[in-house]
Coordinates of all heavy atoms in Angstrom, one line a residue:
F104 N 159.3 7.4 98.7 CA 160.2 6.9 99.7 C 161.5 6.3 99.1 O 161.4 5.3 98.4 CB 159.3 5.7 100.5 CG 160.2 5.0 101.5 CD1 160.5 5.7 102.8 CD2 160.7 3.8 101.4 CE1 161.2 5.0 103.7 CE2 161.4 3.1 102.3 CZ 161.7 3.8 103.5
P105 N 162.5 7.0 99.3 CA 163.9 6.6 98.8 C 164.4 5.5 99.6 O 164.3 5.4 100.8 CB 164.7 7.9 98.8 CG 164.2 8.5 100.1 CD 162.7 8.2 100.2
S106 N 165.4 4.7 99.0 CA 166.1 3.6 99.7 C 167.6 3.9 99.5 O 168.2 3.1 98.8 CB 165.7 2.2 99.2 OG 166.0 2.1 97.9
H107 N 168.1 4.9 100.0 CA 169.5 5.3 99.9 C 170.0 5.9 101.1 O 169.3 6.2 102.1 CB 169.6 6.3 98.7 CG 168.9 7.6 98.9 ND1 167.5 7.6 98.5 CD2 169.0 8.8 99.5 CE1 167.0 8.8 98.7 NE2 167.9 9.6 99.3
D108 N 171.3 6.0 101.2 CA 172.0 6.5 102.4 C 172.6 7.7 102.4 O 173.3 8.3 103.3 CB 173.0 5.3 103.1 CG 174.1 5.1 101.9 OD1 174.1 5.6 100.9 OD2 175.0 4.3 102.2
K109 N 172.4 8.5 101.2 CA 173.0 9.7 101.0 C 171.9 10.7 100.6 O 171.0 10.3 99.9 CB 174.1 9.9 100.0 CG 175.4 9.1 100.4 CD 176.4 9.1 99.5 CE 177.6 8.2 99.9 NZ 178.6 8.3 99.0
D110 N 172.0 12.0 100.8 CA 170.9 13.0 100.4 C 170.9 13.0 98.9 O 172.0 12.8 98.2 CB 171.3 14.4 100.8 CG 171.1 14.6 102.5 OD1 170.6 13.6 103.0 OD2 171.6 15.7 102.8
T111 N 169.8 13.0 98.3 CA 169.7 13.2 96.7 C 168.7 14.3 96.4 O 168.1 14.9 97.4 CB 169.2 11.8 96.2 OG1 168.0 11.4 96.8 CG2 170.2 10.8 96.2
Y112 N 168.3 14.4 95.3 CA 167.3 15.5 94.8 C 166.3 14.9 93.9 O 166.6 14.2 92.9 CB 168.1 16.6 94.1 CG 169.1 17.4 95.0 CD1 170.3 16.7 95.1 CD2 168.6 18.3 95.9 CE1 171.3 17.4 95.8 CE2 169.5 18.9 96.7 CZ 170.9 18.4 96.7 OH 171.8 18.9 97.6
L113 N 165.1 15.0 94.3 CA 164.0 14.7 93.4 C 163.8 15.7 92.3 O 163.6 16.9 92.8 CB 162.6 14.5 94.1 CG 161.5 14.2 93.3 CD1 161.6 13.0 92.5 CD2 160.2 14.2 94.1
Q114 N 163.9 15.4 91.1 CA 163.8 16.4 90.0 C 162.6 16.1 89.1 O 162.3 14.9 88.8 CB 165.1 16.4 89.1 CG 166.3 16.9 89.9 CD 167.6 17.1 89.0 OE1 167.5 16.6 87.8 NE2 168.5 17.6 89.5
L115 N 161.9 17.2 88.7 CA 160.9 16.9 87.8 C 161.2 17.7 86.5 O 161.7 18.8 86.6 CB 159.6 17.6 88.3 CG 158.9 16.9 89.5 CD1 157.8 17.6 90.0 CD2 158.7 15.5 89.4
H116 N 161.2 17.0 85.4 CA 161.5 17.6 84.1 C 160.3 17.7 83.3 O 159.5 16.8 83.0 CB 162.5 16.7 83.4 CG 163.8 16.7 84.2 ND1 165.0 17.5 83.8 CD2 164.2 16.0 85.2 CE1 165.9 17.3 84.7 NE2 165.5 16.4 85.6
D117 N 160.2 18.9 82.4 CA 159.1 19.0 81.6 C 159.7 18.7 80.2 O 160.4 19.5 79.5 CB 158.7 20.6 81.5 CG 157.5 20.8 80.6 OD1 156.8 19.9 80.0 OD2 157.1 22.0 80.4
S118 N 159.5 17.5 79.7 CA 160.2 17.0 78.6 C 159.4 15.9 77.9 O 158.7 15.1 78.5 CB 161.6 16.4 79.0 OG 162.2 15.8 77.8
A119 N 159.5 15.8 76.6 CA 158.7 14.8 75.7 C 159.7 13.6 75.6 O 159.0 12.6 75.4 CB 158.5 15.3 74.4
T120 N 160.9 13.6 76.1 CA 161.7 12.5 76.0 C 162.4 12.3 77.3 O 162.6 13.3 78.1 CB 162.8 12.6 74.9 OG1 163.5 13.8 75.0 CG2 162.1 12.8 73.5
P121 N 162.9 11.1 77.7 CA 163.7 11.0 79.0 C 164.8 12.0 79.0 O 165.6 12.0 78.1 CB 164.1 9.5 78.9 CG 163.2 8.9 78.1 CD 162.8 9.9 76.9
P122 N 165.0 12.7 80.1 CA 166.1 13.6 80.3 C 167.4 12.9 80.4 O 167.4 11.7 80.9 CB 165.8 14.4 81.5 CG 164.8 13.5 82.3 CD 164.0 12.7 81.3
V123 N 168.5 13.5 80.1 CA 169.8 12.8 80.2 C 170.5 13.6 81.1 O 170.3 14.8 81.5 CB 170.5 12.8 78.8 CG1 169.8 11.8 77.9 CG2 170.7 14.1 78.2
N124 N 171.8 13.1 81.7 CA 172.6 13.7 82.6 C 172.9 15.0 82.0 O 173.3 15.2 80.8 CB 174.0 12.9 82.9 CG 173.6 11.8 83.9 OD1 172.6 11.8 84.6 ND2 174.5 10.9 83.8
G125 N 173.0 16.2 82.9 CA 173.1 17.5 82.5 C 171.9 18.3 82.2 O 172.0 19.5 82.0
A126 N 170.8 17.6 82.1 CA 169.5 18.3 81.7 C 169.2 19.2 83.0 O 169.4 18.8 84.1 CB 168.4 17.3 81.5
I127 N 168.6 20.3 82.8 CA 168.1 21.3 83.8 C 166.7 21.0 84.3 O 165.8 21.0 83.4 CB 168.2 22.7 83.4 CG1 169.8 22.9 83.0 CG2 167.8 23.8 84.4 CD1 170.0 24.3 82.3
P128 N 166.4 20.7 85.5 CA 165.1 20.4 85.9 C 164.2 21.5 86.0 O 164.7 22.7 86.3 CB 165.3 19.8 87.4 CG 166.6 20.5 87.9 CD 167.5 20.7 86.7
W129 N 163.0 21.3 85.9 CA 161.8 22.2 86.1 C 161.6 22.6 87.6 O 161.5 23.6 88.1 CB 160.5 21.8 85.5 CG 159.3 22.6 85.4 CD1 158.3 22.7 86.3 CD2 159.2 23.8 84.5 NE1 157.4 23.5 85.8 CE2 158.0 24.4 84.8 CE3 160.0 24.3 83.5 CZ2 157.5 25.5 84.1 CZ3 159.5 25.5 82.9 CH2 158.4 25.9 83.1
V130 N 161.8 21.4 88.5 CA 161.8 21.6 89.8 C 162.8 20.5 90.5 O 163.1 19.5 89.9 CB 160.4 21.0 90.4 CG1 160.3 21.0 91.9 CG2 159.3 22.0 89.9
S131 N 163.5 21.1 91.5 CA 164.4 20.2 92.2 C 164.3 20.4 93.7 O 164.3 21.4 94.2 CB 165.9 20.5 91.7 OG 166.9 19.7 92.3
M132 N 164.1 19.2 94.4 CA 163.8 19.4 95.8 C 164.8 18.3 96.5 O 164.9 17.0 96.1 CB 162.4 18.9 96.2 CG 162.0 18.9 97.5 SD 160.4 18.4 97.8 CE 160.2 18.0 99.5
K133 N 165.4 18.7 97.6 CA 166.4 17.7 98.4 C 165.5 16.8 99.1 O 164.4 17.0 99.7 CB 167.1 18.7 99.4 CG 168.1 17.9 100.1 CD 169.0 18.8 101.1 CE 170.0 17.9 101.8 NZ 170.9 18.9 102.5
V134 N 166.0 15.5 98.9 CA 165.4 14.4 99.6 C 166.5 13.9 100.7 O 167.4 13.2 100.2 CB 165.1 13.3 98.7 CG1 164.5 12.1 99.4 CG2 164.2 13.7 97.6
P135 N 166.3 14.1 101.9 CA 167.4 13.6 102.9 C 167.3 12.2 102.9 O 166.4 11.5 102.6 CB 166.8 14.3 104.2 CG 165.9 15.4 103.9 CD 165.3 14.9 102.5
A136 N 168.6 11.6 103.2 CA 168.8 10.1 103.3 C 167.8 9.5 104.2 O 167.6 9.9 105.3 CB 170.3 9.9 103.8
T137 N 167.3 8.3 103.7 CA 166.4 7.5 104.4 C 165.1 8.2 105.0 O 164.5 7.9 106.0 CB 167.0 6.7 105.5 OG1 167.5 7.8 106.7 CG2 168.2 5.9 105.1
S138 N 164.7 9.3 104.3 CA 163.5 10.0 104.7 C 162.5 10.2 103.6 O 162.8 10.0 102.5 CB 163.9 11.6 105.0 OG 164.9 11.6 106.1
N139 N 161.3 10.5 103.9 CA 160.1 10.7 103.0 C 160.2 12.2 102.8 O 160.6 13.0 103.5 CB 158.8 10.2 103.6 CG 158.8 8.8 103.9 OD1 159.4 8.0 103.1 ND2 158.1 8.4 104.9
C140 N 159.5 12.6 101.6 CA 159.4 13.9 101.2 C 158.0 14.1 100.4 O 157.5 13.2 100.1 CB 160.6 14.4 100.4 SG 160.5 13.9 98.7
A141 N 157.5 15.4 100.5 CA 156.4 15.7 99.6 C 156.5 17.0 98.9 O 157.1 17.8 99.5 CB 155.2 15.7 100.6
L142 N 156.0 17.0 97.7 CA 156.0 18.4 97.0 C 154.7 18.8 97.3 O 153.5 18.3 97.2 CB 156.1 18.0 95.5 CG 157.5 17.4 94.9 CD1 157.4 17.1 93.5 CD2 158.5 18.5 95.2
P143 N 154.7 20.1 97.7 CA 153.4 20.8 98.2 C 152.6 21.5 97.1 O 152.4 22.6 97.0 CB 154.1 21.9 99.1 CG 155.3 22.3 98.5 CD 155.8 21.0 97.9
Y144 N 152.3 20.6 96.1 CA 151.5 21.1 95.0 C 150.0 20.7 95.2 O 149.8 19.5 95.6 CB 152.0 20.7 93.6 CG 153.4 21.2 93.2 CD1 154.3 20.3 93.0 CD2 153.6 22.4 93.4 CE1 155.6 20.6 92.6 CE2 155.0 22.8 93.2 CZ 155.9 22.0 92.7 OH 157.1 22.4 92.5
G145 N 149.0 21.4 94.9 CA 147.7 21.1 95.1 C 146.8 21.9 94.2 O 147.3 22.6 93.3
V146 N 145.6 21.9 94.5 CA 144.6 22.7 93.7 C 145.0 24.2 93.7 O 144.8 25.0 92.7 CB 143.2 22.5 94.3 CG1 142.1 23.4 93.5 CG2 142.8 21.1 94.1
D147 N 145.4 24.7 94.8 CA 145.7 26.1 94.8 C 147.2 26.5 94.4 O 147.4 27.7 94.1 CB 145.7 26.6 96.4 CG 144.4 26.5 97.0 OD1 143.3 26.6 96.2 OD2 144.2 26.2 98.1
S148 N 148.0 25.5 94.1 CA 149.3 25.8 93.6 C 149.8 24.7 92.6 O 150.7 24.1 92.9 CB 150.3 25.9 94.8 OG 150.3 24.6 95.5
P149 N 149.1 24.6 91.5 CA 149.4 23.6 90.4 C 150.7 23.9 89.7 O 151.2 25.0 89.7 CB 148.2 23.6 89.5 CG 147.8 25.0 89.6 CD 148.0 25.4 91.0
R150 N 151.3 22.8 89.1 CA 152.5 23.0 88.3 C 152.3 22.3 87.1 O 151.6 21.3 86.9 CB 153.6 22.2 89.0 CG 154.9 22.1 88.3 CD 155.7 23.4 88.2 NE 156.3 23.8 89.7 CZ 157.1 24.7 89.9 NH1 157.6 25.4 89.0 NH2 157.4 25.0 91.2
S151 N 152.4 23.2 86.0 CA 152.0 22.7 84.7 C 153.2 22.2 83.9 O 154.4 22.8 83.9 CB 151.4 23.8 83.9 OG 151.0 23.5 82.6
F152 N 153.1 21.1 83.2 CA 154.1 20.4 82.4 C 153.5 20.3 81.0 O 152.4 19.6 80.8 CB 154.5 19.1 82.8 CG 155.2 19.2 84.2 CD1 154.5 19.2 85.5 CD2 156.6 19.3 84.3 CE1 155.1 19.3 86.7 CE2 157.1 19.3 85.5 CZ 156.4 19.3 86.6
T153 N 154.0 21.1 80.1 CA 153.5 21.1 78.8 C 153.9 19.9 77.8 O 153.1 19.6 77.0 CB 153.7 22.5 78.1 OG1 155.0 22.7 78.0 CG2 152.9 23.6 78.8
L154 N 155.1 19.5 77.9 CA 155.7 18.5 77.0 C 155.6 17.1 77.6 O 155.3 16.0 76.8 CB 157.2 18.8 76.8 CG 157.5 20.1 76.2 CD1 159.0 20.4 76.1 CD2 156.9 20.3 74.8
G155 N 155.6 17.0 78.8 CA 155.4 15.7 79.6 C 156.2 15.8 80.9 O 156.8 16.8 81.1
M156 N 156.0 14.9 81.8 CA 156.6 15.0 83.0 C 157.4 13.7 83.3 O 157.0 12.6 83.2 CB 155.6 15.1 84.1 CG 156.2 15.4 85.5 SD 155.2 15.4 86.9 CE 154.9 13.7 87.3
Y157 N 158.7 13.9 83.7 CA 159.7 12.9 84.1 C 160.0 13.2 85.5 O 160.5 14.4 85.9 CB 160.8 12.8 83.2 CG 160.5 12.0 81.9 CD1 160.0 12.7 80.7 CD2 160.7 10.7 81.8 CE1 159.8 12.0 79.6 CE2 160.5 10.0 80.6 CZ 160.0 10.7 79.5 OH 159.7 10.1 78.4
A158 N 160.0 12.2 86.4 CA 160.5 12.4 87.7 C 161.9 11.5 87.8 O 162.0 10.4 87.3 CB 159.6 11.8 88.7
C159 N 163.0 12.1 88.3 CA 164.2 11.5 88.3 C 164.9 11.7 89.7 O 164.6 12.7 90.4 CB 165.2 12.2 87.3 SG 164.7 12.1 85.6
L160 N 165.7 10.9 90.2 CA 166.4 10.9 91.4 C 167.9 11.3 91.1 O 168.5 10.6 90.1 CB 166.4 9.7 92.3 CG 166.7 9.9 93.7 CD1 165.8 10.9 94.3 CD2 166.6 8.7 94.4
S161 N 168.4 12.5 91.4 CA 169.7 13.0 91.0 C 170.6 13.2 92.2 O 170.2 13.4 93.4 CB 169.4 14.3 90.4 OG 170.9 14.9 90.0
T162 N 172.0 13.1 92.1 CA 172.9 13.3 93.1 C 173.3 14.8 93.2 O 173.9 15.3 94.0 CB 174.2 12.5 92.8 OG1 174.8 12.8 91.6 CG2 173.9 11.0 93.0
T163 N 172.8 15.7 92.2 CA 173.1 17.0 92.2 C 171.9 17.8 92.0 O 170.8 17.4 91.5 CB 174.1 17.4 91.0 OG1 173.4 16.9 89.7 CG2 175.4 16.8 91.1
H164 N 171.8 19.1 92.6 CA 170.7 19.9 92.6 C 170.3 20.6 91.2 O 169.2 20.6 90.9 CB 170.8 20.9 93.8 CG 169.7 21.9 93.8 ND1 168.4 21.6 94.3 CD2 169.6 23.2 93.7 CE1 167.7 22.5 94.3 NE2 168.4 23.6 93.9
N165 N 171.2 21.3 90.7 CA 170.9 22.2 89.5 C 170.8 21.5 88.3 O 170.2 22.1 87.2 CB 172.0 23.3 89.5 CG 171.7 24.2 90.8 OD1 170.7 24.4 91.2 ND2 173.0 24.7 91.2
T166 N 171.5 20.3 88.2 CA 171.4 19.7 86.9 C 171.2 18.1 87.2 O 171.5 17.7 88.2 CB 172.7 19.7 86.0 OG1 173.9 19.2 86.8 CG2 173.0 21.2 85.6
L167 N 170.9 17.3 86.1 CA 170.6 16.0 86.4 C 172.0 15.2 86.4 O 172.6 15.2 85.5 CB 169.6 15.5 85.3 CG 169.3 13.9 85.4 CD1 168.7 13.6 86.7 CD2 168.3 13.4 84.3
T168 N 172.1 14.4 87.5 CA 173.2 13.4 87.6 C 172.5 12.1 88.1 O 172.2 12.2 89.4 CB 174.3 13.9 88.4 OG1 174.8 15.1 88.0 CG2 175.4 12.8 88.3
L169 N 171.9 11.2 87.2 CA 171.1 10.2 87.6 C 171.7 9.4 88.9 O 172.9 9.1 88.8 CB 170.9 9.2 86.5 CG 169.8 9.8 85.5 CD1 169.9 8.8 84.3 CD2 168.5 9.9 86.1
A170 N 171.0 9.2 89.9 CA 171.3 8.5 91.0 C 170.9 7.0 91.0 O 170.0 6.8 90.3 CB 170.7 9.0 92.3
A171 N 171.8 6.2 91.5 CA 171.4 4.7 91.4 C 170.7 4.2 92.7 O 171.1 3.5 93.4 CB 172.8 4.0 91.2
S172 N 169.5 4.8 92.8 CA 168.7 4.5 94.0 C 167.2 4.3 93.5 O 166.9 4.6 92.5 CB 168.6 5.7 95.0 OG 170.0 5.9 95.6
D173 N 166.5 3.6 94.4 CA 165.1 3.4 94.1 C 164.2 4.5 94.6 O 164.7 5.2 95.6 CB 164.7 2.1 94.9 CG 165.3 0.7 94.3 OD1 165.6 0.7 93.2 OD2 165.4 -0.1 95.1
L174 N 163.2 4.7 94.1 CA 162.3 5.8 94.4 C 160.9 5.3 94.1 O 160.5 4.9 93.2 CB 162.7 7.1 93.6 CG 161.8 8.2 93.8 CD1 162.0 8.9 95.3 CD2 162.1 9.4 92.8
W175 N 160.0 5.6 95.2 CA 158.6 5.3 95.2 C 157.9 6.6 95.0 O 158.2 7.5 95.9 CB 158.1 4.5 96.3 CG 158.6 3.1 96.5 CD1 159.8 2.6 96.8 CD2 157.9 1.9 96.0 NE1 159.8 1.2 96.7 CE2 158.7 0.9 96.1 CE3 156.7 1.8 95.2 CZ2 158.3 -0.5 95.8 CZ3 156.2 0.4 95.1 CH2 157.0 -0.6 95.2
I176 N 156.9 6.7 94.1 CA 156.3 8.0 93.9 C 154.7 7.6 93.8 O 154.3 6.7 93.2 CB 156.6 8.5 92.6 CG1 158.1 9.0 92.6 CG2 155.7 9.8 92.3 CD1 158.5 9.7 91.3
D177 N 154.0 8.5 94.7 CA 152.6 8.3 94.6 C 152.1 9.8 94.2 O 152.4 10.7 94.9 CB 151.9 8.0 96.0 CG 150.5 8.1 96.1 OD1 149.8 7.9 95.1 OD2 149.9 8.1 97.1
A178 N 151.4 9.8 93.1 CA 151.0 11.1 92.4 C 149.7 11.1 92.0 O 149.1 10.1 91.5 CB 152.0 11.6 91.4
Q179 N 148.9 12.3 92.1 CA 147.7 12.4 91.4 C 147.9 13.6 90.3 O 148.3 14.7 90.7 CB 146.7 12.9 92.5 CG 146.2 11.8 93.6 CD 147.3 11.7 94.6 OE1 147.8 12.6 95.0 NE2 147.7 10.5 94.9
L180 N 147.7 13.2 89.2 CA 147.7 14.1 88.0 C 146.5 14.5 87.5 O 145.5 13.8 87.4 CB 148.6 13.5 86.9 CG 149.9 12.9 87.4 CD1 150.7 12.1 86.2 CD2 150.8 14.0 87.9
Q181 N 146.4 15.8 87.1 CA 145.2 16.3 86.4 C 145.5 16.7 85.0 O 146.4 17.6 84.9 CB 144.7 17.4 87.2 CG 143.3 18.0 86.6 CD 142.8 19.2 87.6 OE1 143.2 19.5 88.6 NE2 141.9 19.9 87.0
P182 N 144.8 16.3 84.0 CA 145.2 16.7 82.7 C 144.7 18.1 82.5 O 143.9 18.7 83.2 CB 144.4 15.9 81.8 CG 143.4 15.1 82.6 CD 143.9 15.3 84.0
N183 N 145.6 18.9 81.7 CA 145.2 20.3 81.3 C 143.9 20.3 80.5 O 143.6 19.6 79.7 CB 146.3 20.8 80.3 CG 147.6 21.0 81.0 OD1 147.6 21.2 82.2 ND2 148.7 21.1 80.3
M184 N 143.1 21.2 81.0 CA 141.8 21.4 80.4 C 141.6 22.7 79.7 O 142.2 23.6 79.9 CB 140.6 21.3 81.4 CG 140.8 19.9 82.0 SD 139.3 19.6 83.3 CE 139.5 18.0 83.6

């Protein structure tokens, strides 16, 4: 649940270290202003992160430009087996 007044992008990065501005996301999804969103991953369509997973809020879609907004995330993760 974002707390901002402009559209932003939820980005997921497959990285062992925190991504910096300019990093290319593994996934980028538009989050409309003052709206909730959900990533449609589940048992039938998992997403694998081999190095680690960072979730960031960005002002741009294709590369990371960190946004100065709050973001609440509720996620269920399953370790690789």
Side-chain angles (χ1 to χ4, degrees):
F104 176 71
S106 62
H107 54 268
D108 58 359
K109 295 181 181 178
D110 294 348
T111 55
Y112 298 88
L113 173 62
Q114 295 185 350
L115 302 180
H116 293 260
D117 185 13
S118 179
T120 59
V123 297
N124 283 340
I127 298 172
W129 188 251
V130 175
S131 184
M132 177 182 168
K133 185 176 184 177
V134 180
T137 66
S138 297
N139 295 328
C140 71
L142 292 173
Y144 300 128
V146 175
D147 297 330
S148 60
R150 177 73 62 167
S151 180
F152 295 86
T153 56
L154 300 173
M156 186 185 80
Y157 281 87
C159 304
L160 200 58
S161 178
T162 59
T163 55
H164 176 65
N165 294 325
T166 60
L167 177 60
T168 306
L169 287 170
S172 295
D173 294 333
L174 177 68
W175 288 84
I176 296 177
D177 178 20
Q179 291 79 42
L180 304 175
Q181 179 178 353
N183 290 337
M184 297 184 173

